[in-house]
Amino acid sequence: MKVHTLADLKQLRREMQRRAEQEAAARAAAEAARRAALERAEHERRLFERAVGPVQRLRPHGRVEHAPPPPPPWPRQRQLDERAVMREALSDAFDVETLLHTDEHLSFRRPGLGPDVVRRLRRGDWAIQAELDLHGLRTDEARERLGGFIRDAHRQGLRCVRVVHGKGLGSPGKTPVLKGRVHGWLVQKSEVLAFVQARPADGGAGALIVLLRATSHGRA
C-alpha cells in the first residue's frame, strides 16, 4: 500500500494493528489448544492410574526391536518367462508320426536306443514314480502343464512317469485330439528317452508311460 497522504498513513496503521491483533489471537488460540491437550492427557493418565493402580516404568532392556523379515519376493516375471519359453519350445505343428513306431501300440524311442528299451518300459521294469492327469484341460494349459511336469520330474531325478491324456470320449466327435498333441510334445522334450502306451491296468489307450533321461543324482 502506497502512502500519499496523512489519511493513507492512518489507514496503513489501522491495517497493521488489525493484522497484529489477528496474529495475537491465533497464537492465543494455539496456546489454549496446547494447554487443553496437555490437560486432557493428564486427565487420561490419572484415570488410567486410578483404574490399574500404581505402576512402575520398566527399566530399559537395551534390546533392539527388529521388524519381522519381509516375505520372499514372488518371481512372477520369471514364471511368465518360463511359460513363454515353454510355449515356444513345444510346437503344435511338429510332425511326430514319422518318429512313432507302429507296432502293436504306438511307441517312441530316441535314435540309438534299442527296441528292448520299449519292451522293458511296456513290461513295467521301471516303477512309475509320478503322474500327470491332463483330463479336461485346454490345449494351451495342457501343453504348459506337461512341459513343467517333465522338467520338474527330470530335475528330481525321476526316471519313469505316467501321463494321462484320456481317450477323447468327451471330445467333439469322440476324437482323441489331446492324445496326438501329447505325443508331439513329448518327442520335443529332450528329457524324454522313450514312451509307450500304458498297459490296461495303468490306463490303456488313455495314458502313456514315459522314460526320462537319468541325471547325476537320478535313480537307476
Side-chain angles (χ1 to χ4, degrees):
M1 180 179 179
K2 295 182 179 181
V3 178
H4 298 287
T5 64
L6 183 59
D8 293 340
L9 181 59
K10 292 180 179 180
Q11 178 65 25
L12 178 60
R13 182 179 296 175
R14 286 194 296 269
E15 181 66 22
M16 294 176 63
Q17 184 177 0
R18 184 180 64 82
R19 290 182 181 179
E21 291 174 352
Q22 290 177 346
E23 292 175 357
R27 287 193 298 270
E31 179 64 18
R34 187 184 67 83
R35 290 180 179 178
L38 291 176
E39 291 176 358
R40 186 165 52 251
E42 179 65 18
H43 177 68
E44 292 175 356
R45 187 185 64 80
R46 289 195 297 268
L47 287 178
F48 178 78
E49 289 180 350
R50 286 199 296 268
V52 302
V55 295
Q56 183 177 1
R57 184 182 296 275
L58 295 175
R59 294 180 180 180
H61 48 65
R63 296 189 297 270
V64 177
E65 298 290 341
H66 294 283
W74 180 47
R76 181 173 183 273
Q77 188 57 51
R78 187 182 69 188
Q79 293 177 358
L80 294 176
D81 292 342
E82 289 181 354
R83 290 180 183 178
V85 170
M86 198 177 301
R87 284 195 298 269
E88 295 172 1
L90 300 181
S91 171
D92 289 332
F94 187 83
D95 183 11
V96 70
E97 297 300 326
T98 58
L99 301 176
L100 295 177
H101 300 277
T102 54
D103 46 15
E104 55 188 288
H105 301 294
L106 289 180
S107 63
F108 165 79
R109 69 177 187 270
R110 293 283 176 195
L113 292 179
D116 62 309
V117 172
V118 172
R119 286 195 296 268
R120 292 179 60 195
L121 190 58
R122 184 174 291 127
R123 196 167 58 218
D125 286 3
W126 286 279
I128 298 174
Q129 298 168 300
E131 176 181 293
L132 173 67
D133 192 344
L134 300 175
H135 270 112
L137 299 182
R138 297 190 303 270
T139 300
D140 289 345
E141 188 176 4
R143 178 173 52 215
E144 292 184 6
R145 290 277 188 89
L146 179 64
F149 173 73
I150 295 298
R151 184 183 66 249
D152 293 343
H154 182 255
R155 287 177 178 174
Q156 295 171 25
L158 306 186
R159 293 301 312 278
C160 186
V161 298
R162 176 168 51 201
V163 176
V164 180
H165 49 65
K167 300 178 180 179
L169 300 179
S171 304
K174 299 188 182 300
T175 303
V177 177
L178 196 57
K179 179 178 180 178
R181 297 286 177 84
V182 169
H183 286 168
W185 296 336
L186 287 175
V187 169
Q188 296 175 69
K189 294 296 292 180
S190 62
E191 300 93 339
V192 174
L193 287 178
F195 60 78
V196 299
Q197 181 175 296
R199 295 176 297 180
D202 293 327
L208 295 172
I209 307 301
V210 184
L211 180 66
L212 303 179
R213 294 183 185 275
T215 60
S216 58
H217 58 282
R219 307 163 200 160

